[in-house]
């Protein structure tokens, strides 16, 4: 798997990352969602540099302009509910893309330190021969990403796969590397080294879904 860690080079992305992490600023749900959306736009822009392009002739009022335009058939798939702002950021740039949505959540059976990933809802177009962009803001253990990909397999085999995340743990990245082909791309804003015993990224930012949409009763 090819890993593109955008935090290795300073950019305006640092500002958005600092705000979604900041214990006081992140409490503003609207600002949190917008910052995740803006990070999605940046990640999507960087990803676009690896797409396939073909030459096109564009008629202007004064003549003709030659330009290379992307030719990939893109399907954006986000994991509900935390993935919605990230999905919106990607959709701002890939506005003709098809869309898929899937619910995947942690179910704690007996104690907070062990859980399984439950997939309940899935809406997906045909993926055969297309470019699948799988978006999940927090790549913690990597189990949600793998469970989602397994659930999508009956819908066809993508030509190429791009994974999009805001913050990931090194352990989670190591895990998904074992489950995706070498030609898969991971586009990520930053990587934290620690994953605690409850499967949360440290320092991370907390629960992205709760910060974006409010706290839930389910644990």
């Amino acid at each position: 798997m090819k890993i593109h860690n955008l935090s290795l080079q300073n950019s305006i992305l640092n500002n958005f990352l600092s705000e979604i992490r900041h214990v006081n600023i992140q409490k503003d749900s609207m600002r949190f969602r917008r910052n995740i959306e803006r990070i999605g736009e940046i990640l999507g822009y960087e990803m676009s540099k690896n797409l396939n392009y073909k030459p096109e002739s564009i008629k202007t009022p004064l003549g003709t302009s030659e330009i290379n335009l992307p030719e990939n058939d893109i399907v954006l798939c986000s994991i509900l509910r935390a993935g919605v702002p990230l999905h919106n950021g990607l959709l701002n740039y890939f506005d003709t893309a098809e869309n898929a949505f899937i619910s995947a959540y942690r179910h704690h059976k007996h104690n907070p330190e062990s859980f399984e990933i439950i997939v309940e809802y899935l809406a997906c177009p045909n993926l055969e021969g297309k470019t699948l962009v799988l978006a999940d803001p927090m790549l913690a253990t990597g189990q949600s990403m793998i469970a989602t990909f397994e659930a999508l397999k009956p819908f066809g085999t993508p030509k190429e796969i791009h994974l999009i995340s805001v913050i990931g743990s090194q352990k989670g990245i190591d895990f998904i590397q074992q489950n995706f082909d070498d030609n898969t791309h991971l586009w990520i804003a930053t990587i934290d080294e620690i994953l605690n015993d409850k499967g949360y990224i440290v320092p991370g930012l907390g629960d992205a879904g709760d910060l974006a949409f409010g706290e839930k009763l389910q644990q």
Side-chain angles (χ1 to χ4, degrees):
M1 184 173 69
K2 300 176 179 66
I3 300 172
H4 308 268
N5 180 4
L6 272 58
S7 69
L8 296 179
Q9 182 176 2
N10 288 326
S11 73
I12 191 61
L13 176 64
N14 293 6
N15 197 49
F16 307 141
L17 282 171
S18 72
E19 291 194 356
I20 63 172
R21 288 190 192 266
H22 195 288
V23 67
N24 293 321
I25 297 175
Q26 66 173 206
K27 293 177 181 178
D28 183 339
S29 295
M30 182 182 291
R31 191 169 181 176
F32 182 84
R33 291 193 301 269
R34 180 60 182 128
N35 280 328
I36 293 290
E37 184 177 343
R38 292 195 284 190
I39 292 171
E41 291 172 349
I42 292 172
L43 291 168
Y45 170 75
E46 292 298 325
M47 185 194 78
S48 73
K49 298 176 183 179
N50 272 66
L51 298 179
N52 300 317
Y53 288 79
K54 61 180 178 179
E56 295 280 354
S57 295
I58 307 299
K59 186 177 180 181
T60 79
L62 299 177
T64 302
S65 174
E66 305 297 327
I67 191 168
N68 294 324
L69 295 178
E71 60 178 354
N72 300 64
D73 291 325
I74 295 175
V75 178
L76 303 177
C77 179
S78 64
I79 301 177
L80 301 174
R81 63 182 170 149
V84 172
L86 185 58
H87 188 105
N88 288 339
L90 292 166
L91 196 57
N92 286 344
Y93 279 21
F94 304 104
D95 45 88
T96 62
E98 295 179 277
N99 296 271
F101 297 92
I102 187 169
S103 70
Y105 67 92
R106 295 179 177 186
H107 174 63
H108 298 271
K109 289 183 177 181
H110 306 295
N111 63 72
E113 296 181 11
S114 77
F115 58 85
E116 62 178 334
I117 303 299
I118 303 295
V119 175
E120 288 186 339
Y121 172 82
L122 174 58
C124 185
N126 180 20
L127 299 176
E128 191 65 37
K130 297 179 181 178
T131 298
L132 173 63
V133 179
L134 186 53
D136 191 7
M138 305 299 287
L139 203 171
T141 66
Q143 293 183 46
S144 294
M145 194 77 81
I146 299 303
T148 298
F149 183 60
E150 290 297 321
L152 294 175
K153 284 185 176 180
F155 294 87
T157 303
K159 183 178 180 180
E160 54 187 87
I161 299 171
H162 295 269
L163 311 177
I164 303 283
S165 284
V166 177
I167 301 176
S169 75
Q170 189 59 56
K171 184 176 180 179
I173 291 171
D174 292 343
F175 177 71
I176 65 171
Q177 270 192 299
Q178 301 170 15
N179 291 273
F180 283 98
D181 293 338
D182 291 342
N183 59 353
T184 300
H185 291 262
L186 170 64
W187 304 88
I188 193 163
T190 192
I191 299 172
D192 291 348
E193 290 297 323
I194 302 173
L195 191 66
N196 68 18
D197 56 7
K198 294 183 179 180
Y200 279 92
I201 302 170
V202 180
L205 52 74
D207 189 304
D210 287 358
L211 289 167
F213 300 110
E215 293 184 1
K216 55 190 178 298
L217 290 177
Q218 303 97 315
Q219 297 297 325

